[in-house]
Amino acid sequence: MVAFLGMGLLGSNFVRAMINKGMQVQVWNRTHSRAAAMEAYGAKAFENVADAVKGADRVHITLKDDASVDEVLAAASAGLKPGAIIIDHTTTSTEGAIQRTQAWKERGFIYQHAPVFMGPQNALESTGTMLVSGDQAVTAQLEPELSKLTGKVMNFGPEPGKAAGIKLIGNLFLVTFTAGLSDTLSLAKGLNIQLSEVTTLFDSWNPGAMLPARLKRMTSGNYSEPSWELNMARKDTQLFLNAAEQNGAHLAIIPAIAKEMDRWIAKGQGSQDWNIIAKDNIPA
């Protein structure tokens, strides 16, 4: 039997998927009505979080942040079964994941951080990606059951908190990607280019397919044979900015990129490949 704490869009669909797989699930949510709603699917809802975890071999959590995880686990601790394993799917800081791993170990429990790249529909369909790291004996024990909740479990090795860091990197990319698309749509609107025309462009030309090659080029350390000179990329970026200003389009991301380009041009790197703007940021 398992307990699940946090009945948001992701947590509630995780629970529905678990029930569909024949599991008994006890649920809790700060707003009790959300937990109670899960009884229609076969879950058992509790108003008290300590009661919700009683008898559970696994306690899954999907909450908001470090503070909420710490608060809810502290309240639940009185009901935890000896030997219960806490599996936290919340996106948190790396420091928080490391601290909780150690703190719960000292109390005689296993805390496994397992953040996800999954939307609510993925949780319901058991598709998407789940990340783990830490004690490899623990991850080996949990991976078979975690893999039933998702399409893929990615193990990033023995370092606690590494999965949390990878999750933050992925989410940062999603945020910047979406903000970049927002700028793209804003400029299209200002230039009176229809949404259907933007869609036609990206249906035929998929820049996302360039990501692996772009990452390799950015991190190669060789920027002396440009496919697009930084000076030329900056010229085009100014065209974006000018067109936006002339047509009343708001760009959120491009002005910051222009500033970074200017910084590298001022360092005498204008004739280099424009990917040089990543040079100082490459991990060892």
Side-chain angles (χ1 to χ4, degrees), residues 169-231:
I169 290 168
N171 276 12
L172 182 148
F173 179 83
L174 291 176
V175 168
T176 53
F177 178 70
T178 301
L181 280 177
S182 179
D183 274 10
T184 300
L185 293 172
S186 183
L187 184 58
K189 182 178 180 181
L191 294 174
N192 199 31
I193 294 171
Q194 301 302 305
L195 177 59
S196 60
E197 294 171 314
V198 176
T199 302
T200 296
L201 170 64
F202 290 116
D203 281 344
S204 299
W205 174 62
N206 179 14
M210 305 175 188
L211 180 59
R214 175 56 54 88
L215 185 60
K216 184 176 180 180
R217 186 175 182 85
M218 288 179 75
T219 58
S220 68
N222 179 17
Y223 310 102
S224 61
E225 298 177 2
S227 61
W228 195 16
E229 281 191 6
L230 177 56
N231 282 329

Side-chain angles (χ1 to χ4, degrees), residues 57-61 73 80-88 97 100-113 133-135 137-139 141-142:
D57 299 304
R58 304 285 186 267
V59 178
H60 292 260
I61 311 169
L73 285 180
L80 287 174
K81 174 182 177 180
I85 296 177
I86 301 163
I87 303 171
D88 184 6
R100 278 184 291 278
T101 301
Q102 183 60 35
W104 283 99
K105 182 178 181 180
E106 291 172 357
R107 297 180 66 169
F109 294 92
I110 291 172
Y111 168 90
Q112 176 63 57
H113 193 221
S133 67
D135 187 323
V138 172
T139 57
Q141 175 187 352
L142 293 177

Side-chain angles (χ1 to χ4, degrees), residues 6 9 14 18 66 99 103 166 246-247 253 264 278:
L9 294 175
F14 263 132
M18 288 175 171
D66 288 288
Q99 184 274 329
I166 296 292
Q246 291 162 10
N247 294 280
I253 300 298
W264 281 91

